[in-house]
Amino acid sequence: MIDQIEITLQARRRGCHLVTGEILRRLPSLPERGLLNLFVKHTSCGLTVNENADPDVRTDLEAILDHIVPERQPYYRHIYEGDDDMPAHAKATLTGPSVTIPITDRRLNLGTWQGIYLCEFRDYGGSRTIVATIYS
């Protein structure tokens, strides 16, 4: 069986944000066993699973991505939407638009220190829509 909903996350500033709780609050009852796929419907943010305890990890991850993909490079052609736009697209490619998480005993089967991140790469990205697909 497949269930699917769309979740709109509140707008966030640029950075890596732990959104596990916000997503869980919006999901229907989970099956005994299955998979949850989350897909973000935007090209300037990404989803990933990483450290859920120490917020320094989120800050460091943002700094690493900014170092790998800096703004205002002379070779960027897509520059009409601001200095953060083309780097946002590149960072979204690096993180990816989706994550898949196993469901066990009606709970997400994440590791003790794992959480779901929305990585927002625009200064003013706005609200973000996620398609949540539950396979049971």
Side-chain angles (χ1 to χ4, degrees):
M1 182 172 164
I2 298 175
D3 193 7
Q4 190 173 75
I5 64 165
E6 287 197 2
I7 298 169
T8 301
L9 299 178
Q10 67 182 14
R12 289 175 163 79
R13 63 174 176 72
R14 187 196 302 210
C16 297
H17 305 278
L18 189 62
V19 295
T20 312
E22 188 174 354
I23 289 170
L24 284 173
R25 284 189 294 278
R26 304 252 180 81
L27 291 176
S29 294
L30 296 175
E32 187 67 28
R33 288 184 184 81
L35 294 172
L36 171 66
N37 178 267
L38 300 171
F39 176 83
V40 64
K41 295 173 58 172
H42 304 276
T43 61
S44 55
C45 62
L47 292 173
T48 191
V49 172
N50 214 306
E51 166 79 49
N52 70 358
D54 185 353
D56 287 342
V57 173
R58 297 190 293 277
T59 302
D60 290 348
L61 183 57
E62 179 184 9
I64 290 164
L65 289 168
D66 286 345
H67 179 76
I68 293 169
V69 186
E71 293 183 2
R72 295 177 289 284
Q73 295 304 301
Y75 48 85
Y76 292 159
R77 291 184 172 193
H78 181 73
I79 59 172
Y80 303 110
E81 296 179 45
D83 289 337
D84 63 341
D85 189 36
M86 187 58 231
H89 295 308
K91 292 172 190 175
T93 294
L94 293 173
T95 57
S98 66
V99 295
T100 300
I101 302 165
I103 299 167
T104 306
D105 298 328
R106 302 187 185 282
R107 297 172 49 110
L108 296 185
N109 197 344
L110 291 166
T112 301
W113 306 111
Q114 289 182 316
I116 303 165
Y117 286 15
L118 171 72
C119 299
E120 176 58 66
F121 301 125
R122 297 297 310 266
D123 288 333
Y124 305 102
S127 61
R128 299 303 192 172
T129 302
I130 294 178
V131 178
T133 306
I134 300 168
Y135 302 89
S136 57

